[in-house]
Amino acid sequence: MPSLQWREEHELDSLDTTTGASSGEMGSAGEETMEQGRLLDEEDDHDAGHEIDAQKDQEYEERLNRQTVRKLDFILLPFLALLFLLNSLDKSNIGNAETAGFTHDANLSPGDLNVSLAFFFAFFVALQPVGAALGRKYGMARWVPACMSLWGLCTILHIWVRSRWQLILLRVLIACLEAGFYPTTVSYLSLFYTRFEFAVRLGFYYGQTAVAGVLGGVLSWAVFSRFERHHQGPQLRQAEVDQGGWKSWEVLFVIEGCTTMVIALLGFFWLPHSADTAWFFTPSERIWAEQRIRLDRDNVTAAQKTRASTALHNSMLEDSEAQAQAGAKDGDEEDADAGHEAHHRLLGDDTNTEPMRRRKMSTVSAISVTADTGLSRYDVLSAIFSYKIWHLLICNILSAIPATAFGVFLPLVIKQLSPTLNLSPAASNLLAAPPFAFGAVVLFVFTYWSDRTHQRLIPIFWGLGLLLIGLTLTVMTPRSNYILRYISLCILLSGSFIASPLTVAWLTNNTPEPGKRAILLGVNGWGNLAGVFSALLFRPGDEANGYIKPFTWTLVCVMASFVGFIAFWVLLVRENKFREDVCASWSERERAKEELFGDVEVKSASGLLKMIGIGKLLGWLGYEGGRRGDEKMTFRYGM
């Protein structure tokens, strides 16, 4: 845009050139100068108008983004959190029921509870990838409510348990129905939020595990207080059974099971299959909800894709022009036209022909980046052959033992907090609420910090450190000092819920492909194997000494997890360095081609596949044909 100084100098120069001319000529020059000034003023006004329009567009986009995110935060996220809250309650309610004499009333031994939990977690863990794959295949909005309705019914059926096999059967059925729930819902949630909006929302979502501990404790306290008469002795209890009275743990199972079924049925109508079908969005919000995720996920950033597309366009255009010149010298120009056509085909450029334009537009409009369905063979195989998920899985199992253990056993641990307290079932469940509340608050703080700083591993290290402090204090504090021991449990729970959701946040941030992301989260769901270990660690025989031995083994496992996460950080640094070295020798065209298509040959990777003899197998299974997402050499893993 011409500046005012330039215009003044231009006018002075024009006036200088007219010196000595006739008055008529000077009048003509003056008129020309005035006309030029008028045109320049119009140009300035036009540019200023463009700037105002651009500013208005930006303000509108920001306002539209706030409206879209606000609706997600107040309509979709709370409902998903409610589903997970009920899921957590249905997993942990058997521990609350046991404090009210569940196994005694059902003619079971206390050891039968641990056996049933071991069976539950064995099936629950083994079927995690299967459940995640089915959830992705049939759609979260359809799959999860159906499974929830059935496991809510199984929860109610606990009131008729009278033998060991019945308890094991019900827990296995619930495990099969709940398998894949968490990875499916988290994968679904990640479809609607950008990468660095996600962790704090995931913290709110995953924090329902801690909220379930609070609500479960308060609900159990309320029910057990109302039915306190059922815990005053075997003779009174048997007399009430003969009279047909409800036992407190039966009331608890009925309330939680019926609530789960009602909310699950509502989910069929509440949950959208994608952003462009969400009932709570306006038409403009549907379009923007799709576009914002496309910009965020498409090759990490839109700017990178633009640079890559431009670089590849220019590079191939130079080749096409060279072919055109060579063809002109030989008298053959068809090669140049073919080069241009191949270029447009490769880039998917919509400026080529009308059929190409229609095909490109229909493809873009037909594919929703927030669709909750869609799974390919490539997604499954690339997830299975990722070494990172197996490393994270081991770390996740070791770090998740406290959270899974105390989700079930914390009321029992508090009941044995000190021999001098002699806590009732209602009191022990009520005292279990504050530690879970601490865990929920600290988790939200850590996930907020993680999103603000764009870091995942550093908050995990601090969270594990907090967990280690709580475990150490719990092990070293004598049972006579029950106040300090209770504070230690609060510190312990504060750090228990941080590592798992931030691990999931790392996986979603570093896996642009939605199908692969769902399978990775399903494999990561094997981290619930920690529940099997916790059921084996916290045995009834350790009640007398306040579970000191299980706490000690848990401390060792968390220390090993801390070391594992440090090793994972080192591996990521080395992986990024390796990719930098590989790309250092590439031309700008090769970098752009890899960023767009992921098909630039990497000799070291190809040689490795041939060496271990699975290259042909992977090609037959459809794994080859270009790297995607995080497998591209231009992709850099975040920390």
Side-chain angles (χ1 to χ4, degrees), residues 445-483:
V445 171
F446 270 70
T447 52
Y448 179 78
W449 169 35
S450 177
D451 266 354
R452 286 293 299 271
T453 60
H454 295 184
Q455 293 179 332
R456 305 303 185 207
L457 296 181
I458 299 299
I460 288 177
F461 293 146
W462 281 99
L464 291 177
L466 192 62
L467 177 56
L468 288 172
I469 292 173
L471 281 168
T472 303
L473 288 174
T474 304
V475 171
M476 297 182 63
T477 303
R479 295 185 66 194
S480 59
N481 192 349
Y482 55 83
I483 296 178

Side-chain angles (χ1 to χ4, degrees), residues 160-353:
W160 285 286
V161 169
R162 291 298 179 269
S163 62
R164 178 178 179 176
W165 73 266
Q166 292 174 339
L167 177 62
I168 293 175
L169 177 62
L170 283 178
R171 300 313 292 181
V172 168
L173 286 174
I174 293 176
C176 294
L177 293 168
E178 290 188 352
F181 172 86
Y182 180 71
T184 300
T185 51
V186 169
S187 177
Y188 176 79
L189 184 65
S190 70
L191 296 173
F192 296 92
Y193 287 103
T194 59
R195 286 170 297 147
F196 297 112
E197 294 172 346
F198 182 64
V200 69
R201 274 80 182 182
L202 180 61
F204 176 79
Y205 176 81
Y206 186 79
Q208 302 311 305
T209 302
V211 174
V214 177
L215 183 60
V218 174
L219 180 61
S220 300
W221 169 78
V223 172
F224 296 167
S225 297
R226 170 66 178 81
F227 293 87
E228 187 73 29
R229 61 186 182 276
H230 294 300
H231 311 294
Q232 296 179 4
Q235 294 180 351
L236 179 59
R237 182 181 303 168
Q238 186 60 45
E240 290 173 350
V241 171
D242 294 339
Q243 295 174 6
W246 281 82
K247 292 181 282 291
S248 54
W249 57 266
E250 290 178 335
V251 176
L252 184 68
F253 280 132
V254 170
I255 291 175
E256 295 185 0
C258 289
T259 304
T260 298
M261 293 182 69
V262 171
I263 299 301
L265 293 175
L266 181 61
F268 284 108
F269 307 97
W270 193 276
L271 298 171
H273 288 284
S274 62
D276 55 8
T277 62
W279 58 268
F280 47 82
F281 280 152
T282 63
S284 59
E285 289 169 349
R286 291 192 186 105
I287 296 173
W288 175 245
E290 288 279 334
Q291 183 65 14
R292 64 194 294 270
I293 301 302
R294 193 184 301 275
L295 292 173
D296 182 66
R297 295 288 181 185
D298 194 6
N299 208 16
V300 183
T301 64
Q304 287 181 344
K305 186 174 180 69
T306 301
R307 288 196 303 269
S309 180
T310 302
L312 189 57
H313 176 92
N314 294 336
S315 176
M316 298 190 68
L317 195 60
E318 291 175 359
D319 292 348
S320 299
E321 290 173 352
Q323 291 177 7
Q325 292 176 0
K329 291 180 180 179
D330 297 336
D332 186 5
E333 297 182 353
E334 293 181 4
D335 291 341
D337 296 334
H340 281 286
E341 184 179 354
H343 161 67
H344 286 294
R345 245 192 342 264
L346 186 60
L347 289 181
D349 197 337
D350 59 358
T351 60
N352 194 9
T353 61

Side-chain angles (χ1 to χ4, degrees), residues 5-66:
Q5 182 181 0
W6 181 88
R7 286 158 51 192
E8 291 176 349
E9 293 175 353
H10 182 75
E11 291 173 1
L12 290 174
D13 292 340
S14 299
L15 289 174
D16 289 341
T17 58
T18 62
T19 303
S22 65
S23 60
E25 291 174 344
M26 292 179 63
S28 176
E31 291 176 358
E32 291 178 1
T33 303
M34 292 175 63
E35 179 66 17
Q36 290 174 352
R38 186 181 65 81
L39 293 175
L40 290 173
D41 288 338
E42 290 179 357
E43 183 180 353
D44 286 347
D45 293 339
H46 183 70
D47 291 338
H50 272 297
E51 291 179 359
I52 294 173
D53 291 340
Q55 184 177 0
K56 288 182 178 179
D57 290 342
Q58 184 178 0
E59 291 176 355
Y60 173 76
E61 184 177 297
E62 291 175 352
R63 184 170 65 253
L64 184 62
N65 188 67
R66 286 195 301 270

